[in-house]
Each structure stands twice: as structure tokens, then as C-alpha cells.
């Protein structure tokens, strides 16, 4: 779980809240307050994920993309710097695999001659180490494991 606190930024055009990234796990459940600033990539552009009172945001993570052999796609998202005069708060709960020493890769049921495996297998511990030693930079984690 992560609790994010985005203080007021007097020059929001000069920086960002969180750089563009995808979440590495299976799914993320995100609760944001009413301030706004979360955006999701759509094509080459960015779309505001407007706060809806009582609603949660579900992000598909990279491991879901890999396990599903690209049936589900992890979504690139970012948070703008907060130009509002009150802080923004969000809480993210990350659902991650428990068996960290096991091999991960596309489910065999989702591999066929028509749809070969898109990703090679790997140990989750190595994968998560890679995530924490790189910058937040869009879809580089899934791209790294592509065949
Ligand atoms: O603060 C937000 O709305 C997003 C946070 C986020 O992307 C994350 O924790 O991975
Ligand atoms: Fe995220």
C-alpha cells in the first residue's frame, strides 16, 4: 500500500507529481480525493481521470499483461503537479504475486499457434528488482520481457 501526498505546487507547469509509469503488479486499487491530477494515456494523449466521490480506480498492472499474454494491457498513467491551494492525497493498494521465487510468464492456456507467447518466463524477484532499479518510464518493464 502507498499513501501519496502532493503538496501545493506554485509552478505546476515546471514539474510533475508522478512521472508516467505502469504499475508492476497484478491490479492496483486507487482511492483519490477530490483535487484531481491523475491522467491515463490514451493513444498519444493524456485523459484526466476525474475524481468521482466514492469511486475507486482500478489499474491493470504489468504482471496481469504478461500472465494474460497481452489479453489485458497495463495502463500508463501519471499525476500532474498539484496547482490547487490544498494538498492532494491518494491511497494505492497494490495486489502482487505472493510466490516470488516461482516462474512467471503467460498462462499456457492463453498460448496457441495463432497466439504464441509474447513474453519469456522469469522469476518474480528478478522482475521486481528490475522495477525498483529503473526510473519510472512508461512500459519499459513489459518490453524488457518481450520475446
Ligand atoms: O496518486 C495517484 O493518483 C496515482 C498513484 C500511482 O500511480 C501509484 O501509486 O502507482
Ligand atoms: Fe501507478
Amino acid at each position: 500500500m502507498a499513501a501519496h501526498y502532493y503538496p501545493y505546487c506554485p509552478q505546476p507547469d515546471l514539474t510533475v507529481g508522478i512521472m508516467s509509469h505502469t504499475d508492476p503488479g497484478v491490479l492496483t486499487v486507487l482511492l483519490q480525493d477530490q483535487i484531481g491530477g491523475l491522467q491515463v494515456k490514451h493513444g498519444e494523449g493524456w485523459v484526466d481521470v476525474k475524481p468521482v466521490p466514492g469511486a475507486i480506480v482500478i489499474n491493470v498492472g504489468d504482471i496481469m499483461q504478461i500472465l494474460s499474454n497481452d489479453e489485458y494491457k497495463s495502463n500508463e498513467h501519471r499525476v500532474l503537479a498539484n496547482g490547487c491551494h490544498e494538498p492532494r492525497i491518494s491511497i494505492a493498494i497494490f495486489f502482487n504475486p505472493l510466490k516470488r521465487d516461482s516462474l512467471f510468464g503467460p498462462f499456457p492456456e492463453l498460448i496457441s499457434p495463432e497466439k504464441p507467447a509474447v513474453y519469456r518466463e522469469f522469476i518474480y524477484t528478478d522482475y521486481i528488482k528490475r522495477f525498483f532499479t529503473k526510473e519510472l518510464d512508461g512500459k519499459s518493464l513489459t518490453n524488457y520481457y518481450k520475446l
Side-chain angles (χ1 to χ4, degrees), residues 2 4 6 18-19 21-24 28 30-32 37-39 59 77-79 88-92 94:
H4 298 286
Y6 303 84
I18 293 186
M19 280 170 64
H21 67 284
T22 51
D23 296 344
T28 304
L30 182 82
L31 185 64
Q32 59 170 335
L38 175 63
Q39 293 187 320
N59 284 328
H77 53 285
R78 69 180 183 184
V79 181
R88 173 178 188 267
I89 291 169
S90 69
I91 293 171
F94 304 106

Side-chain angles (χ1 to χ4, degrees), residues 69-120:
N69 205 27
D70 272 357
E71 291 297 320
Y72 291 96
K73 295 287 174 69
S74 58
N75 59 306
E76 255 182 87
H77 53 285
R78 69 180 183 184
V79 181
L80 301 177
N82 177 18
C84 291
H85 282 264
E86 51 180 314
R88 173 178 188 267
I89 291 169
S90 69
I91 293 171
I93 297 172
F94 304 106
F95 288 82
N96 297 317
L98 261 184
K99 295 188 172 172
R100 295 181 163 231
D101 293 327
S102 307
L103 269 182
F104 282 76
F107 287 129
E109 295 85 348
L110 298 177
I111 300 172
S112 66
E114 297 76 43
K115 181 118 193 259
V118 180
Y119 303 97
R120 61 190 166 87

